[in-house]
Amino acid sequence: MKILVLGSGAREHAIVTALLAEDAGHEIIAAPGNAGIAADVPVVSLDANSPEDVTNYAFENNIELVVIGPEAPLVAGVADALRTRGIPVFGPGQAAAQLEGSKAFAKRIMDEAGVPTGRAVRADTLADAEDALDTFGAPYVVKADGLAAGKGVLVTDDRAAAAAHAEHWLVHGSVLVEEFLDGPEVSLFLVSDGHTVLPLAPAQDYKRLGDGDAGPNTGGMGAYSPLPWLPDGFVDEVIETVALPTVRQLAAEQTPFIGLLYCGLIVTPAGIRVIEFNARFGDPETQVVLPRLVTPLSMLLFGAATGSLAGMPRPEFAMDVAVTVVLASENYPDAPVTGREITGLDAAAAVEGVHIAHAATALDPSTGALLATGGRVLSVVAVGTTFAEARSRAYEAMGHIRLEGAQFRTDIAGGVA
Ligand code: AMP
Ligand code: GLY
């Protein structure tokens, strides 16, 4: 199959790696990609957020499947444009992508579909937001309504900070004040063709910058999969109570969800609650989910894109486990320092069971040096037969990598047995 993968992160590198691992002779092209993706497959410089550019490129180059990695092209309507031209695409249209793009939309869909989620109040003024803060009490949860690149959410015991966060984001639109949900967090990905959903393996993401969940929220500093501590029947319960009702609700509204339904869940003492949906693969969870996938990824993505998942067996996963640790630039997430050289990747990748998924990397055009070009630079991914093994491989590999000022967490998958 001739497949175009849109995006430039470690998630897209993981998708490309999984497609190549099928050994099916797929022709894979990425746009715009990064230095690591470019080392594996051809990349084209295409504006991934332009419905017209992507559609023209896919049409002229006989692309048989477009896989949309990030949320921005979804919200920009790239999937809609491709579908209009009859090109199979893995990724929801603009309307269904609102599930991620608008927290208020997601709440409405969950209410209509009876999906268990935290109570929330939408506020358009500071006075309303403050009333809601007092109704729910501490810890306070305040969210910007709309894409805020992971920066829109504040969870704090400090009422003044919660109010200040609400005030800041009210300038850009509404805010949601939510009930605090207590319990471990799980990311479950489901491949959806608009009607049928197939679950991938659950993963856990580490959203805070520092060890022990200290510091600011980030896009994700590490992950592991599977989650041996989950109760039996967890995945079936999420399918029945969360994923299917959501997909049915969107289908009933004539905005079918075709793509990756990312369920961000908290396992509270009172049961499973949704804290967020995303309309795409998660990063860094994808880096630990896909290396264990035994079922050909292209079959799932193409099956979803063409409405043919019904009757397909659930995806199979290998028995081993996977751990990923994200390497971030100095001053990430506030103002990452970019342009510095990264070395030691060959030695890192030589550690048994380890590979590197690139994110913000590029080659210096004059020297050929590998440079860090953004906040989250790369993911070190390790598989092993036990978490202790995968973890020690990941950190051994990390020890070989040099990037001035770089940050990474040292406690990913710590204590998981
Ligand atoms: P979100 O962007 O909605 O996923 O929120 C980012 C992070 O904030 C989540 O991954 C959680 O760790 C935390 N969070 C969000 N909403 C809640 C909530 N209602 N209760 C507790 N923690 C939350
Ligand atoms: N890992 C969180 C996200 O992809 O949104």
Side-chain angles (χ1 to χ4, degrees), residues 3 19 29 52 69 73-75 103-104 106 183 306 381:
I3 305 173
L19 291 171
I29 300 149
E52 198 182 346
L74 302 171
V75 172
K103 295 203 183 271
T306 55
V381 185

PDB file of all heavy atoms in Angstrom, residues 3 19 29 52 69 73-75 103-104 106 183 306 381:
ATOM      1  N   ILE A   3       1.247   4.744   1.497  1.00  0.00           N
ATOM      2  CA  ILE A   3       0.682   5.382   2.694  1.00  0.00           C
ATOM      3  C   ILE A   3       1.391   6.713   2.974  1.00  0.00           C
ATOM      4  O   ILE A   3       2.623   6.778   3.002  1.00  0.00           O
ATOM      5  CB  ILE A   3       0.847   4.463   3.924  1.00  0.00           C
ATOM      6  CG1 ILE A   3       0.239   3.075   3.651  1.00  0.00           C
ATOM      7  CG2 ILE A   3       0.202   5.090   5.162  1.00  0.00           C
ATOM      8  CD1 ILE A   3       0.509   2.046   4.741  1.00  0.00           C
ATOM      9  N   LEU A  19       4.582   0.491  10.695  1.00  0.00           N
ATOM     10  CA  LEU A  19       4.193   0.138   9.312  1.00  0.00           C
ATOM     11  C   LEU A  19       5.359  -0.559   8.607  1.00  0.00           C
ATOM     12  O   LEU A  19       5.161  -1.543   7.889  1.00  0.00           O
ATOM     13  CB  LEU A  19       3.763   1.394   8.549  1.00  0.00           C
ATOM     14  CG  LEU A  19       2.450   2.034   9.022  1.00  0.00           C
ATOM     15  CD1 LEU A  19       2.242   3.393   8.355  1.00  0.00           C
ATOM     16  CD2 LEU A  19       1.250   1.122   8.746  1.00  0.00           C
ATOM     17  N   ILE A  29       5.416   7.439   2.916  1.00  0.00           N
ATOM     18  CA  ILE A  29       5.929   8.791   2.749  1.00  0.00           C
ATOM     19  C   ILE A  29       5.432   9.585   3.952  1.00  0.00           C
ATOM     20  O   ILE A  29       4.290   9.404   4.381  1.00  0.00           O
ATOM     21  CB  ILE A  29       5.379   9.429   1.454  1.00  0.00           C
ATOM     22  CG1 ILE A  29       5.804   8.590   0.244  1.00  0.00           C
ATOM     23  CG2 ILE A  29       5.843  10.872   1.290  1.00  0.00           C
ATOM     24  CD1 ILE A  29       4.824   8.614  -0.881  1.00  0.00           C
ATOM     25  N   GLU A  52      -6.164  21.523   1.144  1.00  0.00           N
ATOM     26  CA  GLU A  52      -5.950  21.562  -0.296  1.00  0.00           C
ATOM     27  C   GLU A  52      -4.597  20.940  -0.670  1.00  0.00           C
ATOM     28  O   GLU A  52      -4.512  20.098  -1.569  1.00  0.00           O
ATOM     29  CB  GLU A  52      -6.014  23.018  -0.756  1.00  0.00           C
ATOM     30  CG  GLU A  52      -6.238  23.149  -2.234  1.00  0.00           C
ATOM     31  CD  GLU A  52      -6.238  24.616  -2.663  1.00  0.00           C
ATOM     32  OE1 GLU A  52      -6.322  25.506  -1.784  1.00  0.00           O
ATOM     33  OE2 GLU A  52      -6.144  24.848  -3.875  1.00  0.00           O
ATOM     34  N   GLY A  69      -1.518  12.104  12.000  1.00  0.00           N
ATOM     35  CA  GLY A  69      -0.978  11.953  13.355  1.00  0.00           C
ATOM     36  C   GLY A  69      -1.506  12.982  14.342  1.00  0.00           C
ATOM     37  O   GLY A  69      -2.159  12.629  15.322  1.00  0.00           O
ATOM     38  N   PRO A  73      -4.257  19.070  11.869  1.00  0.00           N
ATOM     39  CA  PRO A  73      -4.859  18.832  10.556  1.00  0.00           C
ATOM     40  C   PRO A  73      -6.308  18.342  10.650  1.00  0.00           C
ATOM     41  O   PRO A  73      -7.117  18.647   9.764  1.00  0.00           O
ATOM     42  CB  PRO A  73      -3.978  17.735   9.939  1.00  0.00           C
ATOM     43  CG  PRO A  73      -2.728  17.718  10.737  1.00  0.00           C
ATOM     44  CD  PRO A  73      -3.073  18.228  12.102  1.00  0.00           C
ATOM     45  N   LEU A  74      -6.642  17.636  11.729  1.00  0.00           N
ATOM     46  CA  LEU A  74      -8.017  17.159  11.903  1.00  0.00           C
ATOM     47  C   LEU A  74      -8.957  18.334  12.078  1.00  0.00           C
ATOM     48  O   LEU A  74      -9.994  18.443  11.411  1.00  0.00           O
ATOM     49  CB  LEU A  74      -8.119  16.237  13.125  1.00  0.00           C
ATOM     50  CG  LEU A  74      -7.230  14.998  13.112  1.00  0.00           C
ATOM     51  CD1 LEU A  74      -7.276  14.302  14.461  1.00  0.00           C
ATOM     52  CD2 LEU A  74      -7.654  14.044  11.995  1.00  0.00           C
ATOM     53  N   VAL A  75      -8.554  19.233  12.983  1.00  0.00           N
ATOM     54  CA  VAL A  75      -9.372  20.403  13.272  1.00  0.00           C
ATOM     55  C   VAL A  75      -9.441  21.323  12.048  1.00  0.00           C
ATOM     56  O   VAL A  75     -10.431  22.018  11.825  1.00  0.00           O
ATOM     57  CB  VAL A  75      -8.816  21.127  14.523  1.00  0.00           C
ATOM     58  CG1 VAL A  75      -9.497  22.451  14.762  1.00  0.00           C
ATOM     59  CG2 VAL A  75      -8.964  20.212  15.749  1.00  0.00           C
ATOM     60  N   LYS A 103     -13.628  21.050  24.666  1.00  0.00           N
ATOM     61  CA  LYS A 103     -13.978  20.273  25.858  1.00  0.00           C
ATOM     62  C   LYS A 103     -15.475  20.367  26.129  1.00  0.00           C
ATOM     63  O   LYS A 103     -16.075  19.418  26.641  1.00  0.00           O
ATOM     64  CB  LYS A 103     -13.159  20.733  27.056  1.00  0.00           C
ATOM     65  CG  LYS A 103     -11.664  20.453  26.849  1.00  0.00           C
ATOM     66  CD  LYS A 103     -10.881  20.353  28.119  1.00  0.00           C
ATOM     67  CE  LYS A 103      -9.393  20.144  27.862  1.00  0.00           C
ATOM     68  NZ  LYS A 103      -9.008  18.727  27.755  1.00  0.00           N
ATOM     69  N   ALA A 104     -16.087  21.493  25.769  1.00  0.00           N
ATOM     70  CA  ALA A 104     -17.524  21.640  25.973  1.00  0.00           C
ATOM     71  C   ALA A 104     -18.285  20.679  25.054  1.00  0.00           C
ATOM     72  O   ALA A 104     -19.264  20.039  25.464  1.00  0.00           O
ATOM     73  CB  ALA A 104     -17.950  23.080  25.708  1.00  0.00           C
ATOM     74  N   ALA A 106     -17.133  17.837  23.928  1.00  0.00           N
ATOM     75  CA  ALA A 106     -16.919  16.487  24.474  1.00  0.00           C
ATOM     76  C   ALA A 106     -17.866  16.226  25.634  1.00  0.00           C
ATOM     77  O   ALA A 106     -18.459  15.140  25.745  1.00  0.00           O
ATOM     78  CB  ALA A 106     -15.462  16.323  24.913  1.00  0.00           C
ATOM     79  N   GLY A 183      -7.458   9.042  41.375  1.00  0.00           N
ATOM     80  CA  GLY A 183      -7.145   7.654  41.017  1.00  0.00           C
ATOM     81  C   GLY A 183      -6.123   7.622  39.903  1.00  0.00           C
ATOM     82  O   GLY A 183      -5.770   8.668  39.342  1.00  0.00           O
ATOM     83  N   THR A 306     -11.906   2.629   5.758  1.00  0.00           N
ATOM     84  CA  THR A 306     -12.829   2.138   4.735  1.00  0.00           C
ATOM     85  C   THR A 306     -14.092   1.512   5.335  1.00  0.00           C
ATOM     86  O   THR A 306     -14.850   0.837   4.640  1.00  0.00           O
ATOM     87  CB  THR A 306     -12.125   1.099   3.834  1.00  0.00           C
ATOM     88  OG1 THR A 306     -11.589   0.062   4.683  1.00  0.00           O
ATOM     89  CG2 THR A 306     -10.993   1.729   3.043  1.00  0.00           C
ATOM     90  N   VAL A 381      12.758   4.281  23.547  1.00  0.00           N
ATOM     91  CA  VAL A 381      11.762   3.212  23.727  1.00  0.00           C
ATOM     92  C   VAL A 381      12.489   1.905  23.993  1.00  0.00           C
ATOM     93  O   VAL A 381      13.414   1.551  23.257  1.00  0.00           O
ATOM     94  CB  VAL A 381      10.882   3.045  22.466  1.00  0.00           C
ATOM     95  CG1 VAL A 381       9.772   2.028  22.723  1.00  0.00           C
ATOM     96  CG2 VAL A 381      10.302   4.379  22.017  1.00  0.00           C
TER      97      VAL A 381
END
